[in-house]
């Protein structure tokens, strides 16, 4: 029987995973297919599982990375510390029942992607956004010995707001990671509201977005001589890690 893998999230028009995995299956003669399951509410996962008995694994994207944890039988330690899951492995449980275990491959993809760009001067980071992906970035930076601070639009516990990003703060925080959807196609003119005029060649700007290749956030940084990188390699690396998790 053809194995099935898939992605849950909403919306999924921008999804990279379906094309990537189906090309992989075709080129490596793997008897499997990858399907998008566009579900608005995470509770609909139960319907997906019931209607697709050949499912062997799932990826999870916005907005379900945090809420899906409550529906799983087990969560890996890293994913629990992060507070977000983007990979679900299907295993055999008791009495033949499927057991679901959650993992986070975003942290692996992000760390491997940003690490070659880091310099000794990169000691502190601003993480723009507070969603599921920001949590993986936050913990990934800590594991790389960089002290991160989350930036939120509204006042939240353990976060600063965009209003708090002053020129003086930017002198200390030379790594800036955008985990928000601001600037994603088709709204390419949007950008996070930071004081771009005070960026310098010492800054590293990393955007988890990859469509377009260079967001306005990255273009503004490039103009100031910053090192810039988009999220495409991270996406590839987390997909590799997903496949490893499903097959380990």
């Amino acid at each position: 029987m053809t194995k099935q893998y898939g992605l849950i999230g909403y919306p999924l028009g921008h999804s990279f995973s379906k094309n990537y995995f189906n090309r992989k299956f075709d080129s490596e003669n793997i008897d499997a297919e990858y399907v998008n399951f566009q579900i608005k509410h995470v509770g609909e996962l139960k319907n997906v599982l019931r209607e697709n008995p050949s499912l062997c694994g799932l990826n999870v994207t916005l907005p379900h990375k945090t809420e899906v944890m409550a529906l799983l039988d087990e969560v890996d330690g890293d994913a629990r510390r992060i507070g977000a899951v983007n990979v679900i492995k299907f295993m055999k449980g008791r009495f033949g029942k499927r057991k679901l275990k959650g993992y986070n491959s975003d942290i692996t993809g992000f760390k491997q992607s940003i690490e070659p760009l880091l310099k000794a001067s990169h000691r502190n980071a601003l993480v723009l956004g507070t969603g599921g992906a920001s949590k993986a970035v936050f913990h990934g930076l800590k594991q790389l010995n960089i002290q991160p601070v989350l930036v939120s639009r509204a006042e939240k516990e353990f976060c600063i707001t965009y209003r708090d990003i002053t020129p003086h703060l930017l002198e200390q925080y030379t790594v800036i990671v955008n985990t928000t959807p601001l600037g994603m196609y088709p709204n390419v003119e949007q950008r996070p509201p930071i004081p771009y005029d005070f960026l310098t060649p010492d800054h590293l700007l990393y955007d988890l977005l990859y469509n377009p290749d260079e967001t306005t956030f990255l273009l503004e940084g490039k103009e100031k001589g910053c090192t810039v990188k988009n999220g495409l390699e991270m996406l590839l690396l987390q997909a590799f890690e997903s496949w490893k998790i499903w097959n380990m």
Side-chain angles (χ1 to χ4, degrees):
M1 183 170 62
T2 300
K3 290 183 177 179
Q4 192 178 53
Y5 300 87
L7 173 69
I8 61 167
Y10 186 90
L12 294 180
H14 64 282
S15 169
F16 154 93
S17 300
K18 181 179 178 180
N19 287 338
Y20 167 77
F21 277 109
N22 282 325
R23 282 199 303 266
K24 174 183 176 66
F25 298 153
D26 185 54
S27 65
E28 298 180 22
N29 293 314
I30 297 170
D31 187 15
E33 65 171 346
Y34 193 98
V35 180
N36 281 351
F37 299 103
Q38 186 162 273
I39 58 173
K40 198 166 188 177
H41 303 289
V42 73
E44 296 173 56
L45 173 60
K46 295 175 182 177
N47 299 333
V48 171
L49 298 177
R50 186 178 61 251
E51 294 165 9
N52 298 275
S54 60
L55 264 176
C56 299
L58 285 169
N59 287 122
V60 184
T61 190
L62 297 173
H64 304 319
K65 290 185 178 185
T66 299
E67 290 183 346
V68 76
M69 294 173 69
L71 304 180
L72 305 178
D73 300 295
E74 192 177 342
V75 177
D76 173 72
D78 256 353
R80 189 168 295 285
R81 281 186 289 273
I82 292 165
V85 158
N86 77 314
V87 183
I88 301 175
K89 179 181 174 73
F90 288 51
M91 302 180 292
K92 286 184 179 178
R94 298 179 66 186
F95 310 114
K97 183 184 176 185
R98 280 193 293 192
K99 179 181 176 184
L100 307 184
K101 183 171 181 178
Y103 294 83
N104 192 298
S105 68
D106 282 336
I107 188 171
T108 304
F110 173 70
K111 284 169 56 183
Q112 290 178 357
S113 177
I114 197 171
E115 191 168 19
L117 304 177
L118 296 174
K119 301 174 183 175
S121 59
H122 294 143
R123 295 186 293 271
N124 302 299
L126 298 175
V127 180
L128 311 181
T130 58
S134 74
K135 297 172 183 177
V137 167
F138 184 91
H139 285 272
L141 288 166
K142 287 179 75 173
Q143 290 180 10
L144 293 168
N145 296 314
I146 295 173
Q147 296 307 308
V149 170
L150 292 171
V151 182
S152 173
R153 286 176 298 178
E155 290 188 9
K156 288 183 180 179
E157 197 174 12
F158 307 119
C159 298
I160 65 171
T161 68
Y162 286 97
R163 293 187 299 276
D164 298 317
I165 305 177
T166 62
H168 177 65
L169 190 78
L170 282 182
E171 290 177 11
Q172 304 168 62
Y173 287 81
T174 52
V175 178
I176 307 174
V177 183
N178 178 40
T179 72
T180 78
L182 291 172
M184 184 169 68
Y185 181 84
N187 302 309
V188 295
E189 75 289 344
Q190 295 181 348
R191 62 180 189 174
I194 65 171
Y196 292 93
D197 287 344
F198 296 95
L199 296 174
T200 71
D202 292 330
H203 285 88
L204 164 59
L205 269 58
Y206 189 107
D207 201 329
L208 265 61
L209 300 177
Y210 56 91
N211 184 14
D213 290 341
E214 288 188 332
T215 57
T216 304
F217 168 72
L218 293 183
L219 288 169
E220 292 274 6
K222 203 172 180 180
E223 272 190 21
K224 302 297 185 296
C226 305
T227 300
V228 301
K229 187 165 187 175
N230 72 15
L232 183 58
E233 186 185 41
M234 173 184 167
L235 199 66
L236 286 165
L237 290 167
Q238 70 83 19
F240 297 159
E241 187 67 12
S242 295
W243 186 245
K244 282 171 59 179
I245 289 168
W246 291 331
N247 291 281
M248 66 183 183

